Amino acid sequence: MEKTMRWIKAFLFSVLLLQAALPADAGGYSAKPVHKVVFQVSDNEPQKWYLTLSNAKNVQQELGIKNVQIEVVVYGPGLDMVLLETEMAEKIDEAISSGVKIVACENTMIGRKLTHADMYPGIGYVKAGVVELMKRQREGWAYIRP
């Protein structure tokens, strides 16, 4: 009897350890996958910005804001659209408030002698815009260039 009890305790302990080691949703359905998309804006054309931000908004509406991560990488001539005095201010504010991450290339900023103080508030920064695009694609993000 004592041998049987030890075996049962060992078995239950093993099951408990196995359960603790498995992810909470193992074998079950997980939450909706998070989609990830990165947009490139390297043109100084307001219509491309409107298109990019419109596309971002459409993706959020179609997939749900909580189901998608969106990043807009801005470099080269596109940087003009995220300067402090941009004509895109209202659209950028709307995008940022809905969770779109807009990042400016610091290499382009250095080349143009711009500082963070010259840039629109609320945006982020990456060292190299092209490298950020490469990194995101390697991580499995969808890549869009309107």
Side-chain angles (χ1 to χ4, degrees):
M1 180 74 165
E2 188 176 314
K3 201 177 205 181
T4 304
M5 288 302 289
R6 268 190 278 167
W7 184 87
I8 291 172
K9 284 181 181 179
F11 175 77
L12 291 175
F13 183 70
S14 298
V15 169
L16 183 63
L17 284 176
L18 183 60
Q19 188 176 19
L22 290 175
D25 66 346
Y29 292 101
S30 60
K32 291 182 184 178
V34 174
H35 302 276
K36 299 174 183 178
V37 61
V38 60
F39 289 88
Q40 171 186 330
V41 180
S42 54
D43 300 316
N44 181 14
E45 298 176 24
Q47 59 271 38
K48 290 242 178 141
W49 264 97
Y50 284 114
L51 180 60
T52 300
L53 297 179
S54 177
N55 285 337
K57 186 176 183 176
N58 291 341
V59 167
Q60 287 179 323
Q61 288 174 343
E62 179 69 24
L63 300 175
I65 288 176
K66 293 182 180 182
N67 298 321
V68 66
Q69 282 183 267
I70 300 174
E71 183 173 316
V72 178
V73 178
V74 186
Y75 67 92
L79 211 62
D80 288 344
M81 294 293 115
V82 290
L83 290 174
L84 189 57
E85 298 297 324
T86 180
E87 63 186 79
M88 302 301 298
E90 186 177 324
K91 292 291 184 188
I92 291 172
D93 286 341
E94 182 182 319
I96 291 172
S97 70
S98 73
V100 174
K101 184 177 176 184
I102 299 173
V103 296
C105 172
E106 290 182 322
N107 283 341
T108 301
M109 291 172 60
I110 290 167
R112 295 183 53 189
K113 297 179 179 28
L114 297 169
T115 67
H116 291 191
D118 298 312
M119 308 307 291
Y120 195 77
I123 67 168
Y125 302 92
V126 293
K127 178 73 177 146
V130 172
V131 173
E132 178 73 2
L133 292 170
M134 292 169 58
K135 177 179 140 193
R136 292 300 188 203
Q137 288 181 74
R138 187 177 56 246
E139 293 170 349
W141 289 52
Y143 166 76
I144 309 293
R145 181 175 184 208

